[in-house]
Amino acid sequence: MEKRAEMDIAKRLYRGIVDTMQKLETISKQRKCAKDLFQPDAISYRQRLKDHCEKLIFVGKVEYSRKAEEVLWRKCFYDVIQAFKRSRKERKDDAAAGGHYRMHLLAASGYYQHLLLRLQMEYNLKLNHVIDFGYISDIRNEDKKPKRLTELKTSEWARRACHRCLIYLGDLARYQAEYDGPRSVSLAERFYHQALNLFPEIGMPYSQLGTLSGTKYCGCEAAFYYMRCLSVPVPFNGAQKNLQRLLEKNKKRYMDLMSRERDKRQEYQRYHRPYVHKQAAHFAFLFEQL
């Protein structure tokens, strides 16, 4: 009977999620500029969608929870970030929209830290030795709280959900690096490394570290992370394309340098060799006069 009630709640939440997503899609199609992403109606629908998704994560089955988790990240946070990034001209001209965007990133970071703690609390996960902000239960009230019965499958999903939260937090810090610089870069590295501590066999954090490294050290650091990503048991497929693009870019840079060096050498031979010959002939003439 209890499972039937949970299924009914999960179905109602799922219908609410679908309905809210459709309304957000309608608003997105009507959007004319970057600041429309942060209009009160759009923010209200994203907040409603976030609430529905979080409830479904902790009420429904693992399959529902995983779907709700994906919708939560993409529709409430990631799509807004990508839409704002695409409007580059407006980003420079509209300071207010830039302020709203930074608040969006900060709110997303705060939310995922909350979600990470709640996952640990609800499923009794012991991650204090893995991440910086592990949940520490109150020993005095431990016996009074009703404990959630966690199946092995659900517990494994919860640990992987924590892993994904750490990657999202790393991504959000990486986006903030555009404004905060090295401080946010260090924070992003910290989150990605914690994700690797939790599941070393998953390559996604390595790929994100490669993206974060960019062209530092002529791309050598990024190349290391992409190759490391491809060598683990669960590689991220996108790392292969990233590595290929990086190698092609470095090859082009090398060819440009060689071409420039060849041009310099030819220029030297064109202008300096006659001068050297003239000086040698002059020296020979002076030597004969002695």
Side-chain angles (χ1 to χ4, degrees):
M1 191 69 179
E2 187 177 348
K3 287 187 177 181
R4 180 64 180 269
E6 285 185 359
M7 283 297 296
D8 290 340
I9 294 171
K11 287 178 181 178
R12 283 200 301 272
L13 288 170
Y14 190 78
R15 285 195 294 269
I17 288 170
V18 172
D19 180 58
T20 309
M21 283 173 60
Q22 290 173 347
K23 289 177 180 176
L24 273 173
E25 190 68 27
T26 303
I27 291 174
S28 179
K29 288 178 181 177
Q30 296 171 352
R31 182 177 65 85
K32 296 179 181 179
C33 57
K35 65 181 179 182
D36 289 345
L37 291 165
F38 309 104
Q39 291 297 323
D41 55 346
I43 293 173
S44 175
Y45 281 127
R46 285 199 296 269
Q47 181 63 44
R48 185 188 302 177
L49 182 60
K50 186 170 66 174
D51 292 341
H52 286 334
C53 287
E54 185 173 343
K55 287 176 182 175
L56 185 56
I57 284 172
F58 294 103
V59 170
K61 291 184 176 181
V62 169
E63 292 76 14
Y64 279 125
S65 299
R66 182 70 186 99
K67 185 64 178 176
E69 191 189 340
E70 290 176 4
V71 170
L72 175 63
W73 167 246
R74 185 159 293 277
K75 295 298 180 182
C76 294
F77 303 111
Y78 184 74
D79 283 356
V80 178
I81 293 167
Q82 292 304 307
F84 185 79
K85 282 188 169 187
R86 284 193 294 269
S87 55
R88 293 187 177 182
K89 185 178 178 182
E90 296 172 39
R91 289 164 58 189
K92 295 179 180 178
D93 298 340
D94 193 344
H100 287 304
Y101 173 68
R102 292 194 68 184
M103 287 299 296
H104 179 76
L105 293 177
L106 292 170
S109 297
Y111 176 77
Y112 273 103
Q113 290 185 25
H114 147 76
L115 186 60
L116 187 55
L117 285 170
R118 187 175 176 190
L119 283 164
Q120 294 174 73
M121 180 183 71
E122 293 283 348
Y123 297 102
N124 197 28
L125 302 177
K126 307 298 183 184
L127 304 180
N128 297 338
H129 62 293
V130 178
I131 62 178
D132 287 338
F133 35 91
Y135 173 72
I136 301 174
S137 59
D138 188 347
I139 300 174
R140 293 171 299 178
N141 299 326
E142 190 71 23
D143 297 333
K144 299 177 184 178
K145 293 180 181 178
K147 293 186 178 181
R148 180 191 288 263
L149 296 175
T150 308
E151 298 176 358
L152 184 61
K153 181 181 177 182
T154 307
S155 179
E156 180 63 16
W157 165 81
R159 288 176 63 84
R160 290 185 180 273
C162 287
H163 179 265
R164 287 185 286 270
C165 284
L166 289 167
I167 294 176
Y168 296 152
L169 285 165
D171 290 346
L172 291 165
R174 178 161 54 88
Y175 301 143
Q176 290 181 62
E178 181 180 348
Y179 303 97
D180 298 338
R183 183 177 62 179
S184 288
V185 171
S186 298
L187 188 61
E189 287 177 345
R190 185 71 180 166
F191 285 129
Y192 291 142
H193 282 294
Q194 287 178 51
L196 287 170
N197 287 339
L198 189 55
F199 285 102
E201 69 275 14
I202 297 178
M204 182 68 169
Y206 284 119
S207 179
Q208 302 303 79
L209 283 166
T211 303
L212 185 66
S213 299
T215 58
K216 191 163 60 173
Y217 306 123
C218 297
C220 290
E221 187 171 309
F224 163 77
Y225 283 125
Y226 290 142
M227 287 189 287
R228 190 74 180 84
C229 172
L230 295 170
S231 66
V232 295
V234 187
F236 173 62
N237 294 330
Q240 188 167 356
K241 292 182 179 178
N242 292 338
L243 179 60
Q244 188 174 354
R245 277 197 299 267
L246 180 65
L247 294 177
E248 287 174 356
K249 187 176 180 181
N250 269 10
K251 181 181 178 181
K252 184 177 181 301
R253 187 187 295 126
Y254 173 75
M255 298 303 292
D256 289 344
L257 287 171
M258 292 300 292
S259 177
R260 211 174 303 160
E261 187 69 25
R262 189 166 51 250
D263 292 343
K264 284 182 179 179
R265 197 179 303 119
Q266 290 174 353
E267 184 180 358
Y268 176 82
Q269 290 173 355
R270 186 183 309 154
Y271 292 104
H272 293 271
R273 184 178 291 174
Y275 173 78
V276 171
H277 288 173
K278 182 181 177 182
Q279 292 299 317
H282 189 215
F283 175 77
F285 173 76
L286 292 175
F287 186 75
E288 287 178 3
Q289 298 300 314
L290 293 175

